[in-house]
Amino acid sequence: MNSDTGRSHENPAENPIESGPGALQGEVWLTIQTYQAQSLVRGRRAADGKPAIIGLIGFADRLKALWQAVRFDDPYADWWLLKVEEEVAGVRAQLQGLQQQMDALISESHCGLEFTVAQSSRPQRVSLQFANPYAFRAAQLLGEYDQLMCADMTLHHLGLDMPMDLIEQVSGSGRWVRRVFALPQGYHCLDVRRHDIRQETPAAIKARERMGEIPQDILNGERLPSLRPLAFQHQNGKAIAGTDEG
């Protein structure tokens, strides 16, 4: 008993109003129908003279370094995250445009032939446990590519005519996805910050040699990714929490 109040100490777990809600938890899954999309989940290691292919999992893993570097005011991390954001959005728009053309072909009358888009008898269900939203956007991208491949194989299986330019674009769409997944490889974590760039420190010079001249609008914070983690500021060498920008 508490001698001051005459009440026993309460267990926070027994008083949810005072302890507040716990951490949010949930599960996210990506269902894959085609072998083309399945091959881009984990990618491929370099072997037998074949180059490595970065898959969705490798892409998400490399994004961790970018996401963390943005917290510590690395403008190159902002630049690469913006590249990822723009490239994912651009390729998704391209895939959606192709999907619309495929849907139009599927919805056309085919002399009484009725059919549905093929689905796998045993789809792959992938659990997604990513640390940032851009990895989930890339997962949506892969899902849209998978749907496109389902439509493409259905039309080919039925022998239905497709315009040659559409065939070529659909055939090359996997390269678009691989290009997105390979983007983070161009970023090098060199522990450089905006003040290094402005002061032309050795770290800034090395970063410029490895990754190029940082665009001024990104350096000044005028153009940034729409989604960014909680930023940090540095005072006397110590990191302190800053503001959440986006």
Side-chain angles (χ1 to χ4, degrees):
M1 297 286 287
N2 186 307
S3 59
D4 294 329
T5 63
R7 298 190 303 172
S8 60
H9 291 289
E10 295 180 346
N11 185 340
E14 298 174 355
N15 192 342
I17 294 179
E18 290 189 5
S19 61
L24 294 177
Q25 296 181 336
E27 292 183 286
V28 181
W29 299 84
L30 175 65
T31 301
I32 296 294
Q33 305 286 341
T34 66
Y35 72 88
Q36 293 98 325
Q38 182 185 26
S39 68
L40 292 178
V41 173
R42 298 193 179 279
R44 180 186 70 196
R45 292 184 178 181
D48 300 325
K50 295 181 179 179
I53 294 177
I54 304 300
L56 173 65
I57 303 302
F59 169 83
D61 188 59
R62 285 165 173 78
L63 276 185
K64 292 178 183 177
L66 274 171
W67 196 252
Q68 184 66 11
V70 168
R71 293 180 183 273
F72 291 94
D73 203 33
D74 181 345
Y76 281 94
D78 270 318
W79 188 15
W80 249 259
L81 205 57
L82 185 61
K83 289 181 181 183
V84 167
E85 178 179 305
E86 293 175 345
E87 193 70 15
V88 167
V91 172
R92 286 190 68 187
Q94 288 179 289
L95 292 179
Q96 289 165 7
L98 294 181
Q99 187 68 55
Q100 289 173 1
Q101 296 180 62
M102 301 288 273
D103 290 344
L105 291 174
I106 291 171
S107 65
E108 288 179 359
S109 174
H110 300 284
C111 298
L113 184 65
E114 296 181 8
F115 60 91
T116 59
V117 175
Q119 300 282 298
S120 172
S121 60
R122 192 176 60 194
Q124 180 187 20
R125 199 160 177 255
V126 184
S127 175
L128 305 180
Q129 299 178 0
F130 297 149
N132 67 78
Y134 291 107
F136 287 107
R137 286 188 179 182
Q140 295 175 59
L141 169 69
L142 185 57
E144 289 165 351
Y145 171 69
D146 188 45
Q147 291 176 1
L148 184 66
M149 291 299 99
C150 286
D152 181 54
M153 286 188 284
T154 299
L155 293 176
H156 275 92
H157 178 69
L158 297 175
L160 300 179
D161 291 332
M162 291 174 57
M164 184 55 65
D165 63 332
L166 180 58
I167 293 175
E168 292 175 351
Q169 289 183 75
V170 171
S171 177
S173 59
R175 292 193 295 272
W176 305 345
V177 178
R178 293 196 297 271
R179 185 177 70 232
V180 171
F181 290 169
L183 253 180
Q185 285 189 297
Y187 171 75
H188 303 278
C189 189
L190 300 175
D191 196 27
V192 63
R193 297 177 174 83
R194 278 178 168 80
H195 68 78
D196 291 309
I197 306 296
R198 296 186 179 102
Q199 296 173 13
E200 279 287 313
T201 67
I205 295 172
K206 185 175 181 180
R208 185 169 62 243
E209 292 172 349
R210 298 286 294 275
M211 294 180 282
E213 189 75 39
I214 186 82
Q216 196 64 34
D217 55 354
I218 292 177
L219 180 62
N220 294 339
E222 298 167 2
R223 184 165 63 99
L224 296 172
S226 62
L227 299 171
R228 300 174 77 239
L230 185 69
F232 282 79
Q233 295 176 338
H234 283 257
Q235 292 182 355
N236 299 324
K238 296 181 179 181
I240 60 172
T243 59
D244 193 349
E245 299 180 53

